[in-house]
Amino acid sequence: NRNECPYTAEDLALLADTVVATEMAGFDIDARETNRDLGRWGWEQDSDGCCGFDLFSPQALKHWTLFVDIFHDEAEAVNATFLSQVKWKMNQYIDMFLAAFEEGHWSLW
């Protein structure tokens, strides 16, 4: 029941602002899944630099897809450039996935 919720709209806004600020601080548009990038959201394995989207990419893509779905408006209000960078990076990897899938590239299997 909505009337029994112990949290206020202000509490929810504070939580959203905190999540957006935390994610902005950890986002690195150039991060790759390498030993140098521990603690960052890497988008791909960089063992040989071959593939773009590969088996390591879905976790980061899922994370940022959920972030954009849930916190789009809050992120846009705080930093529209940050949100544009996330969307740009996601679009790149979606295109790479589609190209690898159409080719039947080994990096997806």
Side-chain angles (χ1 to χ4, degrees):
N1 184 342
R2 181 174 266 218
N3 294 330
E4 295 175 13
C5 181
Y7 302 102
T8 65
E10 292 79 20
D11 293 332
L12 180 58
L14 178 61
L15 174 64
D17 291 345
T18 302
V19 170
V20 169
T22 301
E23 292 301 330
M24 284 176 56
F27 180 75
D28 180 354
I29 197 166
D30 297 319
R32 296 164 70 99
E33 192 67 36
T34 67
N35 291 336
R36 295 182 311 275
D37 290 330
L38 294 177
R40 295 184 182 163
W41 279 101
W43 293 79
E44 62 193 83
Q45 182 184 25
D46 194 19
S47 58
D48 60 7
C50 84
C51 307
F53 191 101
D54 64 14
L55 295 176
F56 289 85
S57 303
Q59 296 88 346
L61 199 56
K62 180 178 180 180
H63 174 86
W64 290 109
T65 299
L66 288 170
F67 176 85
V68 170
D69 283 348
I70 296 168
F71 297 107
H72 180 278
D73 294 344
E74 291 85 353
E76 189 170 52
V78 172
N79 187 336
T81 301
F82 163 74
L83 186 61
S84 294
Q85 288 178 327
V86 171
K87 289 179 178 181
W88 176 82
K89 187 78 166 184
M90 289 171 58
N91 285 332
Q92 268 195 317
Y93 278 80
I94 290 167
D95 290 344
M96 286 182 211
F97 171 83
L98 292 172
F101 183 81
E102 288 173 10
E103 180 185 330
H105 196 273
W106 64 265
S107 61
L108 299 182
W109 320 109

